[in-house]
Amino acid sequence: MPPRNHKAWTNEPKIEYINSLIYSDHSLYEQELKNIFSKVWVPMCHSSELPNLGDYRKTQIALQNVLAVRFENGVVRTFLTDKMQAPAGNDLSLTYHSGSWTELPCEVKHGGMVWTTLDTNPSMSVDEWTGGAFDCIADAIDTEEMEVFHYHKAVINTNYKLWHDTNSEFYHDFMHYFNRVSGFNDEYFARKNIPFDNGHVNVSSFTVNYEEYDGFEDRGELSFPNLPPNQWYMVDLFPGFNFNLRGSAYRSDSVTPLGPNKVLIEFRGYGLKKDTPEERQTRIKHHNSIWGPFGRNLHEDLIGVAGQGTTMREGTEPRNILHGRHENRTIHDEVGMRHYYAEWGKWMGVEASNPALAA
Ligand SMILES: [Fe+2]
């Protein structure tokens, strides 16, 4: 499609856009908890965070308290509980007797993630739900056991979907000096957005030239299994979970919406369980130099979405946000955003372009 001038935009009968009300409206937020977060599979933690019998880890899904617990024979089970323990621990007997527990569906899949859902009778398995979105990195994350070496969380005054969006659209990459220096080559611009069922999207890989950036080094030597050197894949999972494989380190983001303009994001970094201490140190350095709190990338995204949150907070004037770029599904084509918001509309029973109808 040729570039559209103002006239073309106003003539076009179906201009592709969403309305910013979806980021600021309180009743839509409540509906999202009920219609989406209470139904979907959530990657709540990683099995390596529960190495021993009785280890548990908590999270909240749609404001409900959820525990993942390691049982006999290595089995991980998840529970809805009316009382909240410390964020993590090992006192199984204490947790058992401290409140009523309801068992939830649980699967350990896709690189050892612990998946659970508040839907006690889910219509799909995790594999059916993810629908092939992990295939591109399956050989890299499922060949060797992974281990979490990094965890931090951020509570940001922004809508959870804006965190999804920053992981999905790539023109904001111009904001990242490191990415501009190390990544903007022909291969980068040829990356494709690949939509999957249920609103998920892959971003295909390309080779990052780390040595282009002063003080950084090639990461080929510690690449994940079966991954060509210095490749970078992304899996954007509906409704807002992100998986990011940059050669020698893997990252997952889990979002917990706390309000229309507040989100908790949990960041995990992963290496391989079989790493030697030296290998692990190198992976940690690679991970933290980009995705740590003082790295070259992640905090810039957090600042970006906090700014968006400020301009689209509750009570601000709604405006339309264009998603109209069509560029053969390459990196700046908004096919991934359109795919995601079409799915969001299905779950919400309302179009993202006209959410006021939901009220
Ligand atoms: Fe970014």
Side-chain angles (χ1 to χ4, degrees):
M1 181 185 292
R4 296 183 218 180
N5 58 22
H6 175 72
K7 233 178 201 169
W9 277 114
T10 45
N11 284 342
E12 171 67 63
K14 185 157 173 42
I15 297 170
E16 291 146 319
Y17 63 87
I18 58 168
N19 188 281
S20 67
L21 204 59
I22 64 165
Y23 300 120
S24 63
D25 185 80
H26 206 277
S27 61
L28 286 171
Y29 155 72
E30 285 175 349
Q31 202 174 318
E32 285 174 317
L33 296 187
K34 189 166 149 258
N35 290 19
I36 300 175
F37 283 89
S38 299
K39 305 283 183 195
V40 297
W41 284 101
V42 171
M44 68 166 285
C45 64
H46 189 256
S47 53
S48 69
E49 294 170 278
L50 311 163
N52 302 310
L53 179 69
D55 286 350
Y56 70 86
R57 193 155 184 100
K58 77 164 189 185
T59 194
Q60 281 205 325
I61 301 174
L63 305 180
Q64 306 288 308
N65 298 320
V66 175
L67 285 176
V69 186
R70 176 77 70 181
F71 278 78
E72 291 82 5
N73 304 319
V75 175
V76 176
R77 294 158 67 187
T78 53
F79 301 88
L80 190 63
T81 172
D82 59 5
K83 201 168 171 182
M84 220 39 202
Q85 291 74 21
N90 180 264
D91 196 338
L92 188 62
S93 57
L94 176 72
T95 58
Y96 248 143
H97 299 297
S98 61
S100 69
W101 288 21
T102 304
E103 185 152 13
L104 296 171
C106 176
E107 291 189 38
V108 177
K109 284 272 166 177
H110 303 311
M113 292 304 296
V114 176
W115 300 77
T116 193
T117 171
L118 296 183
D119 183 350
T120 49
N121 189 21
S123 60
M124 293 185 216
S125 65
V126 169
D127 268 339
E128 287 164 344
W129 167 246
T130 54
F134 279 94
D135 287 358
C136 63
I137 55 170
D139 287 347
I141 64 170
D142 282 323
T143 299
E144 288 286 342
E145 228 177 298
M146 292 198 298
E147 198 166 61
V148 170
F149 61 63
H150 173 91
Y151 174 88
H152 80 278
K153 58 188 176 183
V155 176
I156 305 291
N157 289 329
T158 199
N159 187 276
Y160 79 91
K161 295 186 292 303
L162 289 166
W163 189 251
H164 160 269
D165 296 356
T166 203
N167 282 319
S168 178
E169 56 80 2
F170 272 78
Y171 28 81
H172 88 271
D173 241 5
F174 289 100
M175 172 179 80
H176 297 302
Y177 180 67
F178 173 80
N179 286 11
R180 292 207 305 275
V181 171
S182 62
F184 282 15
N185 50 34
D186 291 347
E187 263 186 76
Y188 173 89
F189 290 104
R191 293 178 90 181
K192 291 258 185 175
N193 294 286
I194 305 158
F196 291 81
D197 284 353
N198 306 320
H200 317 310
V201 177
N202 280 174
V203 181
S204 67
S205 187
F206 81 113
T207 306
V208 182
N209 301 308
Y210 291 100
E211 64 284 0
E212 295 284 318
Y213 189 84
D214 235 9
F216 273 53
E217 61 197 19
D218 183 277
R219 298 174 171 205
E221 213 172 288
L222 279 179
S223 279
F224 266 49
N226 306 306
L227 189 72
N230 299 310
Q231 295 289 296
W232 172 16
Y233 279 101
M234 282 181 72
V235 178
D236 293 321
L237 215 67
F238 184 86
F241 307 111
N242 183 254
F243 301 85
N244 225 311
L245 180 56
R246 253 186 190 270
S248 53
Y250 187 59
R251 162 186 146 199
S252 69
D253 308 354
S254 284
V255 295
T256 305
L258 300 174
N261 197 45
K262 197 172 187 180
V263 61
L264 164 68
I265 314 170
E266 294 177 275
F267 299 100
R268 289 173 171 84
Y270 305 78
L272 301 180
K273 197 169 180 183
K274 65 166 194 178
D275 285 340
T276 65
E278 292 75 23
E279 287 171 336
R280 181 58 62 87
Q281 274 314 306
T282 305
R283 281 194 209 282
I284 290 172
K285 185 176 140 202
H286 287 174
H287 173 277
N288 289 358
S289 61
I290 294 185
W291 292 328
F294 300 100
R296 289 300 321 171
N297 174 276
L298 186 80
H299 63 289
E300 294 171 347
D301 286 318
L302 291 172
I303 290 167
V305 297
Q308 291 174 312
T310 302
T311 63
M312 294 191 274
R313 66 193 181 279
E314 280 182 272
T316 51
E317 187 185 354
R319 82 270 344 226
N320 292 335
I321 299 163
L322 297 176
H323 284 170
R325 280 178 84 148
H326 288 257
E327 297 175 2
N328 198 24
R329 295 189 173 185
T330 52
I331 199 70
H332 292 162
D333 188 318
E334 284 162 309
V335 59
M337 301 283 273
R338 292 189 293 271
H339 185 64
Y340 173 92
Y341 283 102
E343 184 72 19
W344 182 89
K346 274 190 236 165
W347 289 77
M348 294 290 284
V350 68
E351 301 241 345
S353 58
N354 198 359
L357 288 176

